[in-house]
Amino acid sequence: MQRSSNPDPIDLAPGEPSTDSMADSMSDSVAIPKRLPLLALLAALVLTALVWNDTRQRVAADAEGRFALRVEELHRRFESQIQVYVQVTRSAAALFTAYPDVKRAEWNRFVDGLHLAERYPGITAVAFARVADQWTGPELVTQARMDGLRGFRIWPEAPGPMRLVTLYAAPANERTLRTLGYDLLAEPVRRAAAEQARDSGDPTVIRAAALRLDDGEPSPPAVMVYQAVYRDGQSPATQEQRRAAFAGLVMTPIQIAPLAEAVFGRMGDVAATVFEGRREFPLYRSRPESSDRPLLTASRDIALGNRVWSVQYESRPGFEEGVGSWKPLLVLATGLSLSLLLSVLLWALAVTRHRALVIAGRITASLRRRETELDLLFNQAPLGIALIGPDARITDCNPAFARAVGVGRDGLIGTDARLRAPDPAVSAAIDSAIAGESVRLEVDRLLLAGGRHSHFSLHLQPVSTPGDPPFVMAFVEDIGDKRRAEQHVHYLAHYDPLTGLPNRVLLFDRIAQAARDARRDGARAAVLFIDLDRFKIINDSLGHSFGDEVLRSVARRLHGAMRPSDTVGRLGGDEFLIVVPNIETPGVAAAVAEKVMAQLAAPFTIGGRNFVVSPSIGISLFPDDAEDAEGLIRCADIAMYNAKDAGRNAYRFVTREMGARSRERLDLEAALRRALQNRELFLVYQPQLRISDDLVVGVEALLRWRHPEAGLIMPNRFLPVAEETGLIQAIGDWVLDEVCAQIRRWRDQIGLTVPVAVNVSAQQFRDGQLPAKVAAALDRNGLQGWELEIEVTEGTLIDDIPSAIATLRALKQRGCLIALDDFGTGYSSLNYLHRFPIDKLKIDRSFIHDLEQDGTGDSIPRAIVGLGRSLGLSVVAEGVETEAQLQLLRSLKCESFQGYLFSRPVLAEELEPILALRGPRGRHHVPKAEPAAAEPA
């Protein structure tokens, strides 16, 4: 590119000064630097003064802060020391609270155990005064004399019925013995303090004065702490109660000097003076008074019971030496020196200022011309443009180029494009362009290291001009959004958005690839179909968001446990697929299945819940079971259902028998759907008879299927398919309506007065709509609740006990009877049997079959009958087929039975004569409706 080399005035941008005009302005400003050193000196002096004053204030503030911290430390120690001394009084009073009848020897041992001389030198004694009247006073004198105090007496003589006699004082010495017998109520000050301590229950302090435990010699300044003691260790709450229960007083004289000396005695930096009240009377001085005024002082108050002390703190030379008063002088001297040095330096720099300004003006003019040229050339270009020199360094670029690359312009200028390009194709293209070859290419990686990741279309065009070195113009277009959109569409087409695993489309491709590789290498490939056991319960009970997190956690474990060559994918819902290529024997696939089960056996922790998700796994092999992806998945699916039928948490290889059963199951499902439409289902009824008089006391409705080709199909064959496919809901609704309609017909035709039982599946019971459906069926047919009996199994109730109780209570509120079917074969817990509002227990037919066996064949029926009788429940025996079984049930006092002995299940019209002949006379007993309130959780 041709650029001008002489700074002619015509090359300057419009409005910019020429070099000559700039030189003239420089000469006009020469006088300004001469005044600058003086101004700088003045400013430095002012700044020095400000810094000196600030330093002085900071030193003073620091000294005050340190002194305040020291005072607070000493004051806290002094307060703690006082509380420790007062606590001695409380402890002595607590002795009487714990053991109201404290003897003199016990008191002396207690006080001796305090070690007053070593631990509390300010306490000279601890005394106890007991309340006495005209009758108990002589008893106290007698007791004291029996303790060895021959001269004990109550003194001074004072009128009044009540006395407060000093009974104990320890440690025992001549001085404390003289205080014994002293009546504290005889002296007004002590009397007022004793009454205050009695009424408040808190320590009371006598005003500081010369301490006189007795009328002996004076003591140094001290206080007397009183603490009331109440009868029998009581702690009365009111003043009246305290006065009534007042038993005595614990007294502790505390000398001020030893107390304060332990805190202030060895201080060399701070002096302390303790005053009574507001500096009225000095109780203690740590140092003699001095005529010199201290540098710092502080005053603090201390509350001691009902008294207030004031402590005056003063700084001493030991503290004032560390204040740092020399710092302001040092700052002042340093500031003056630096001010003079700065003025001299500025004066020296003023000589070269004119020349520096001229050079700066020329550089500025050249840069502005360059900026104007680049702005006209680059800024309006729609594509990113960069100039690359012969050394492959970027000499300039426009804003569009910087935006496309994702690096600021300043970060690009001077950059070696070859070094910053991680793609070797870009480096080779730059070298080719510098050599004179035009190059076009697209790169999927970052154009420059450290810049923005995207996809670029790059065109490198070499440019050469006479007189200037050749350079390369780089044109860049960001086509990353377009490519990312294409990649996103590809991802959505091949990966599951929830787990990030390959979806059905990609899994079919991986299976086909594994089959091709196995066919080429003469090996096998395995497909593992994984279904999570009872995942629907997690979704229904905890929500789909929680279920999605479970699926993601399972996906992570499965993906982390497989080899890099294996493919883990998600078909949908809770179904996963693993493709294991190139295996030699089926044992390898079995090992993978065991590894999956081991991975999922560890508990999952999601949302603060811990639970285990078990898998059912079906395995198919290529080419043994199928040769295409769809066939392999179908075979693995069949094997997976076989694993579920085997009890779940297992794996199975597909077999031909499984395929036949699967086709039979599918045919049965299709036929069952047609049966609902073509009314091929019908009901039969079996009566329940009372053993004592052979009267019919109930009827059970049973479901049958008359297939047009296969004939009669029993429920144990088609009901599991109905529950698995969800058809059980529609079948259950039909049965409920049909039974209610039949009850209405029997009631109108033969006056039926016994309940008819209908079995309810687990799905019907758990969907939460059963009470509403039952109520609607009863209302449509004009029936009362007692005419319908709902039979449920133990396993249905145990899965979710709180929900089961709520559903049963809702049915009982409508008046329905509740029967527990197949009792004894499941959980049979007295706990839930007591909690569930049931009316009838039905002994399972397996126990009736064992009745005629010798030994303990009747033990379980006997226990069930006894349990039902104790809980007030009716007991029905199912499957009674012989007269011997009936006789045994009669001996067990079982209430009723049903079975082939009396009648097989028959059609409604066949049962009508039996009901008319053996039906009970009179109206059936109506059970009491259950209250609406649910059992508290």
Side-chain angles (χ1 to χ4, degrees):
M1 177 181 293
Q2 184 67 37
R3 293 180 176 83
S4 58
S5 57
N6 296 322
D8 295 331
I10 60 174
D11 292 330
L12 294 174
E16 289 187 320
S18 65
T19 306
D20 296 335
S21 62
M22 291 179 64
D24 294 337
S25 64
M26 298 297 178
S27 62
D28 294 337
S29 61
V30 170
I32 296 177
K34 295 180 180 179
R35 293 193 296 270
L36 184 60
L38 297 178
L39 294 176
L41 178 60
L42 179 61
L45 293 176
V46 172
L47 181 61
T48 299
L50 293 175
V51 173
W52 169 80
N53 184 60
D54 180 73
T55 304
R56 184 175 56 83
Q57 294 178 356
R58 287 177 181 273
V59 169
D62 179 68
E64 292 175 358
R66 289 172 52 204
F67 183 75
L69 291 176
R70 179 61 172 156
V71 167
E72 290 300 325
E73 175 190 0
L74 294 173
H75 199 68
R76 283 195 301 269
R77 288 170 55 189
F78 189 40
E79 285 182 326
S80 300
Q81 187 76 356
I82 291 175
Q83 294 303 320
V84 168
Y85 273 59
V86 173
Q87 186 61 33
V88 173
T89 308
R90 293 180 183 270
S91 300
L95 179 64
F96 285 92
T97 302
Y99 307 98
D101 191 15
V102 177
K103 304 301 182 182
R104 185 179 308 276
E106 295 170 344
W107 176 263
N108 292 337
R109 284 196 300 271
F110 171 78
V111 176
D112 293 339
L114 295 176
H115 304 289
L116 298 178
E118 294 82 13
R119 298 170 60 186
Y120 311 101
I123 299 177
T124 58
V126 182
F128 170 68
R130 174 159 291 173
V131 175
D133 53 19
Q134 56 186 346
W135 293 282
T136 59
E139 294 178 1
L140 294 181
V141 173
T142 302
Q143 182 63 40
R145 291 177 179 179
M146 292 177 63
D147 290 342
L149 302 176
R150 301 300 182 185
F152 183 88
R153 64 185 180 87
I154 299 176
W155 61 279
E157 295 291 337
M162 187 66 63
R163 291 194 168 195
L164 190 57
V165 180
T166 304
L167 187 61
Y168 304 151
N173 52 48
E174 181 181 357
R175 187 167 176 269
T176 57
L177 290 177
R178 289 202 305 270
T179 65
L180 297 179
Y182 180 73
D183 181 9
L184 298 179
L185 301 183
E187 196 256 319
V189 174
R190 290 187 174 91
R191 180 186 187 93
E195 291 175 347
Q196 182 177 356
R198 174 199 65 193
D199 294 343
S200 65
D202 295 323
T204 301
V205 182
I206 297 179
R207 189 177 186 278
L211 175 64
R212 301 179 65 87
L213 272 175
D214 56 352
D215 293 333
E217 68 278 8
S219 300
V223 294
M224 179 75 76
V225 181
Y226 289 167
Q227 175 66 54
V229 175
Y230 302 96
R231 293 192 197 96
D232 301 324
Q234 300 181 37
S235 298
T238 64
Q239 187 182 77
E240 290 75 14
Q241 293 174 350
R242 296 189 189 101
R243 290 182 176 181
F246 183 58
L249 203 68
V250 173
M251 302 169 291
T252 305
I254 301 176
Q255 294 182 359
I256 307 303
L259 171 66
E261 190 69 17
V263 179
F264 305 122
R266 290 186 290 273
M267 294 187 306
D269 55 345
V270 178
T273 304
V274 181
F275 294 92
E276 170 72 9
R278 301 294 180 180
R279 303 189 184 182
E280 300 171 356
F281 177 74
L283 301 176
Y284 167 81
R285 292 184 186 276
S286 64
R287 294 289 186 273
E289 286 189 295
S290 174
S291 58
D292 297 334
R293 182 177 179 181
L295 179 64
L296 298 169
T297 61
S299 180
R300 299 288 188 274
D301 292 336
I302 294 179
L304 178 61
N306 56 330
R307 312 300 301 173
V308 176
W309 289 357
S310 177
V311 183
Q312 178 72 26
Y313 296 92
E314 298 176 354
S315 63
R316 307 300 294 172
F319 179 89
E320 296 170 358
E321 290 174 359
V323 169
S325 57
W326 51 270
K327 293 181 180 179
L329 296 177
L330 178 62
V331 170
L332 181 61
T334 303
L336 293 176
S337 302
L338 292 177
S339 299
L340 294 175
L341 181 62
L342 178 62
S343 63
V344 172
L345 180 62
L346 290 177
W347 184 265
L349 293 176
V351 177
T352 59
R353 183 173 182 274
H354 181 267
R355 181 180 178 183
L357 289 175
V358 172
I359 295 173
R362 291 176 179 176
I363 295 174
T364 301
S366 176
L367 293 175
R368 287 180 178 175
R369 286 196 304 272
R370 179 179 178 85
E371 181 180 353
T372 302
E373 293 171 354
L374 293 176
D375 183 72
L376 295 175
L377 180 62
F378 294 126
N379 288 349
Q380 303 302 322
L383 298 178
I385 303 174
L387 303 181
I388 302 176
D391 56 354
R393 295 184 179 276
I394 298 177
T395 60
D396 210 344
C397 66
N398 66 347
F401 183 91
R403 286 193 301 271
V405 175
V407 180
R409 178 178 176 276
D410 294 338
L412 293 172
I413 303 302
T415 300
D416 191 327
R418 292 174 300 188
L419 296 179
R420 294 290 296 275
D423 193 340
V426 177
S427 300
I430 293 173
D431 290 335
S432 300
I434 292 174
E437 180 183 352
S438 179
V439 182
R440 292 178 181 270
L441 74 159
E442 290 183 4
V443 289
D444 290 327
R445 300 178 61 189
L446 172 68
L447 180 63
L448 294 177
R452 186 166 60 93
H453 290 266
S454 187
H455 190 82
F456 300 93
S457 173
L458 179 62
H459 178 203
L460 299 173
Q461 181 62 44
V463 178
S464 60
T465 58
D468 288 333
F471 64 95
V472 176
M473 293 189 70
F475 301 90
V476 176
E477 181 183 5
D478 186 0
I479 58 174
D481 292 339
K482 176 182 177 182
R483 288 299 176 87
R484 280 190 291 274
E486 295 173 354
Q487 293 172 357
H488 184 63
V489 171
H490 181 271
Y491 179 86
L492 293 179
H494 294 85
Y495 289 88
D496 174 47
L498 176 63
T499 62
L501 297 177
N503 62 7
R504 180 181 294 271
V505 174
L506 187 54
L507 283 171
F508 270 64
D509 181 75
R510 297 288 174 86
I511 294 174
Q513 179 63 40
R516 287 193 297 269
D517 295 342
R519 186 179 293 110
R520 181 195 63 209
D521 300 332
R524 288 187 174 97
V527 173
L528 280 71
F529 196 109
I530 302 172
D531 185 271
L532 303 182
D533 298 332
R534 299 182 179 88
F535 179 77
K536 186 177 184 300
I537 297 177
I538 296 177
N539 256 352
D540 294 343
S541 59
L542 301 178
H544 289 279
S545 298
F546 192 92
D548 290 345
E549 187 57 34
V550 173
L551 293 176
R552 282 191 286 266
S553 300
V554 171
R556 286 193 292 270
R557 287 199 185 178
L558 293 178
H559 186 270
M562 295 299 104
R563 303 174 303 177
S565 59
D566 301 337
T567 299
V568 180
R570 178 174 177 242
L571 292 176
D574 59 337
E575 296 175 343
F576 295 85
L577 206 70
I578 298 178
V579 182
V580 184
N582 196 22
I583 64 174
E584 297 295 333
T585 63
V588 178
V592 173
E594 290 175 354
K595 189 174 184 180
V596 168
M597 294 172 64
Q599 283 292 319
L600 299 185
F604 288 85
T605 301
I606 298 176
R609 297 175 180 268
N610 293 329
F611 55 92
V612 175
V613 177
S614 63
S616 294
I617 306 173
I619 307 174
S620 62
L621 299 175
F622 171 91
D624 305 282
D625 303 319
E627 295 190 356
D628 61 341
E630 185 173 354
L632 288 169
I633 292 177
R634 183 177 64 253
C635 291
D637 188 21
I638 293 172
M640 182 272 295
Y641 276 106
N642 187 268
K644 280 189 176 295
D645 293 340
R648 297 184 173 89
N649 195 24
Y651 67 91
R652 292 290 186 273
F653 285 86
V654 67
T655 63
R656 292 184 178 180
E657 291 79 11
M658 290 182 189
R661 286 198 300 270
S662 177
R663 287 190 295 272
E664 179 184 356
R665 191 185 192 95
L666 292 175
D667 294 341
L668 188 62
E669 178 184 348
L672 187 57
R673 294 183 185 275
R674 291 193 300 270
L676 277 173
Q677 300 173 358
N678 300 335
R679 302 185 65 83
E680 298 172 9
L681 301 177
F682 66 97
L683 294 174
V684 294
Y685 300 89
Q686 187 175 39
Q688 298 173 351
L689 279 75
R690 190 159 51 210
I691 295 178
S692 61
D693 54 11
D694 289 341
L695 292 180
V696 176
V697 293
V699 177
E700 181 178 5
L702 301 169
L703 183 63
R704 298 292 186 265
W705 178 13
R706 184 177 291 109
H707 193 278
E709 298 176 1
L712 185 64
I713 300 178
M714 299 302 287
N716 58 354
R717 183 178 172 192
F718 66 84
L719 284 183
V721 177
E723 290 193 0
E724 182 180 327
T725 59
L727 293 174
I728 193 67
Q729 290 284 4
I731 295 174
D733 295 344
W734 176 82
V735 170
L736 185 61
D737 288 337
E738 186 66 21
V739 169
C740 289
Q742 184 61 51
I743 295 173
R744 178 58 185 265
R745 288 192 292 270
W746 277 338
R747 190 179 70 177
D748 295 342
Q749 295 172 7
I750 63 175
L752 178 70
T753 60
V754 295
V756 179
V758 60
N759 289 275
V760 175
S761 70
Q763 288 190 22
Q764 282 180 283
F765 191 82
R766 295 187 189 117
D767 71 351
Q769 302 299 318
L770 181 62
K773 291 179 179 180
V774 169
L778 292 173
D779 294 340
R780 279 195 299 270
N781 294 277
L783 302 179
Q784 299 184 44
W786 65 267
E787 297 180 86
L788 182 67
E789 182 177 286
I790 303 297
E791 287 193 9
V792 294
T793 62
E794 295 179 88
T796 300
L797 300 180
I798 287 299
D799 284 345
D800 187 355
I801 291 179
S803 177
I805 292 176
T807 301
L808 293 178
R809 287 186 180 275
L811 294 171
K812 292 293 290 181
Q813 181 67 22
R814 186 60 177 83
C816 297
L817 300 176
I818 307 297
L820 192 58
D821 199 9
D822 299 337
F823 184 75
T825 61
Y827 300 88
S828 304
S829 170
L830 291 178
N831 179 38
Y832 79 72
L833 192 62
H834 174 72
R835 295 172 62 187
F836 291 148
I838 58 178
D839 303 285
K840 183 181 295 184
L841 298 179
K842 301 192 71 175
I843 305 176
D844 186 69
R845 65 181 64 250
S846 62
F847 301 125
I848 305 303
H849 177 73
D850 296 338
L851 270 177
E852 297 179 87
Q853 297 182 5
D854 296 334
T856 59
D858 65 341
S859 59
I860 294 180
R862 184 186 303 276
I864 296 175
V865 171
L867 177 63
R869 186 183 302 112
S870 64
L871 294 178
L873 304 178
S874 175
V875 180
V876 180
E878 293 183 302
V880 178
E881 299 179 357
T882 66
E883 187 66 33
Q885 293 174 348
L886 181 60
Q887 292 301 325
L888 288 172
L889 289 172
R890 182 177 287 113
S891 66
L892 295 178
K893 294 183 174 54
C894 181
E895 183 176 342
S896 54
F897 77 97
Q898 69 182 85
Y900 287 2
L901 176 63
F902 180 76
S903 172
R904 292 175 176 270
V906 296
L907 297 174
E909 54 269 20
E910 298 177 23
L911 186 63
E912 289 179 4
I914 299 177
L915 295 177
L917 179 64
R918 292 180 177 265
R921 301 295 182 262
R923 192 173 184 277
H924 184 73
H925 171 68
V926 180
K928 186 182 295 184
E930 188 73 15
E935 178 181 356

